[in-house]
Amino acid sequence: EAGVAQSPRYKIIEKRQSVAFWCNPISGHATLYWYQQILGQGPKLLIQFQNNGVVDDSQLPKDRFSAERLKGVDSTLKIQPAKLEDSAVYLCASSFWGARQETQYFGPGTRLLVL
Amino acid sequence: AQTVTQSQPEMSVQEAETVTLSCTYDTSESDYYLFWYKQPPSRQMILVIRQEAYKQQNATENRFSVNFQKAAKSFSLKISDSQLGDAAMYFCAHRSNNNDMRFGAGTRLTVKP
């Protein structure tokens, strides 16, 4: 079974530039999550989708971050414009249908460096 | 919102020995799930073990077991017969009824040959 795919693996940009990350969840997983992991910290949930609808985006900085999952499968996370403090690893995870007992499976992450 | 605390930033263990990683959490809920995830240097998070709060029996997965103390809000991970491949960051996580998942800051485990 293929795991969660993410691209790119690494990205270096200058502040005020824009960047987008892509995630392809495990086939059949209806729930998709984006996390931000700053160096030395645990992952922090940014947004959760159930199919193509947003379940929770309370911790997403909406003035600069946006995410979509148009067809309920792949998802993109965008930062526009980027700030220095956005340097982090962005992890995508998916689970079967988001029930409490369902395990989240993580992708390898995209490491972003903002200069 | 719930919080998860891992008080040990770093731990080390001798190969083949046993090590225990600590985790405490704060929640007002009675029904929730707890997880331990492993993150090797490649950064792919891998589920190690999970515990349902309504179950009194501690979860076990081969060499990995937990000591779940619900009243004390404690959820420690014990790794027996440690192997070099166990070296990684370990994250404790709490998942609430509304699927809100919170992670601790992590414990870096070093395994000495």
Side-chain angles (χ1 to χ4, degrees):
Chain A
E1 178 182 83
V4 177
Q6 289 188 249
S7 67
R9 292 296 308 275
Y10 304 92
K11 190 73 176 180
I12 301 174
I13 62 173
E14 295 186 349
K15 60 183 179 183
R16 291 188 290 272
Q17 285 187 324
S18 301
V19 65
F21 312 127
W22 173 83
C23 173
N24 180 241
I26 292 173
S27 178
H29 281 194
T31 308
L32 185 146
Y33 313 79
W34 282 102
Y35 289 88
Q36 179 192 58
Q37 186 177 19
I38 293 173
L39 186 65
Q41 300 181 17
K44 182 184 82 171
L45 180 69
L46 294 175
I47 189 167
Q48 176 186 342
F49 291 95
Q50 183 78 13
N51 295 310
N52 60 352
V54 175
V55 174
D56 181 4
D57 63 356
S58 57
Q59 298 190 89
L60 187 73
K62 298 180 186 63
D63 57 333
R64 298 183 300 104
F65 286 66
S66 64
E68 60 183 12
R69 195 185 183 200
L70 293 176
K71 296 183 179 179
V73 181
D74 294 4
S75 176
T76 56
L77 175 70
K78 296 179 181 178
I79 307 175
Q80 175 178 321
K83 293 185 175 181
L84 296 177
E85 57 261 37
D86 297 333
S87 294
V89 175
Y90 291 85
L91 298 169
C92 180
S94 69
S95 63
F96 184 55
W97 64 300
R100 287 177 292 144
Q101 66 272 29
E102 289 298 327
T103 297
Q104 295 184 23
Y105 295 89
F106 285 81
T110 296
R111 185 185 297 272
L112 173 68
L113 179 60
V114 182
L115 302 176
Chain B
Q2 68 273 20
T3 58
V4 179
T5 302
Q6 294 178 248
S7 59
Q8 306 154 316
E10 296 184 359
M11 290 284 285
S12 66
V13 63
Q14 205 69 34
E15 193 176 7
E17 297 293 309
T18 296
V19 64
T20 299
L21 307 184
S22 301
C23 173
T24 59
Y25 57 93
D26 184 24
T27 183
S28 58
E29 299 175 339
S30 59
D31 190 17
Y32 48 86
Y33 285 77
L34 297 166
F35 303 85
W36 277 99
Y37 277 90
K38 170 185 177 181
Q39 190 176 41
S42 67
R43 304 202 73 86
Q44 186 109 29
M45 296 271 279
I46 304 166
L47 177 69
V48 174
I49 198 166
R50 72 180 187 190
Q51 173 80 42
E52 294 88 339
Y54 63 85
K55 289 187 177 179
Q56 292 184 338
Q57 186 174 8
N58 289 324
T60 62
E61 286 289 344
N62 301 314
R63 298 182 294 107
F64 299 89
S65 62
V66 298
N67 183 4
F68 174 47
Q69 301 290 328
K70 191 172 184 179
K73 296 181 181 177
S74 171
F75 183 61
S76 60
L77 174 70
K78 186 172 80 172
I79 306 174
S80 303
D81 186 26
S82 297
Q83 301 175 1
L84 296 178
D86 295 334
M89 284 290 290
Y90 286 81
F91 291 96
C92 176
H94 172 288
R95 186 170 186 175
S96 65
N97 286 332
N98 65 354
N99 292 327
D100 187 7
M101 187 91 141
R102 300 288 170 132
F103 287 82
T107 296
R108 182 178 301 280
L109 178 66
T110 302
V111 181
K112 298 178 181 179

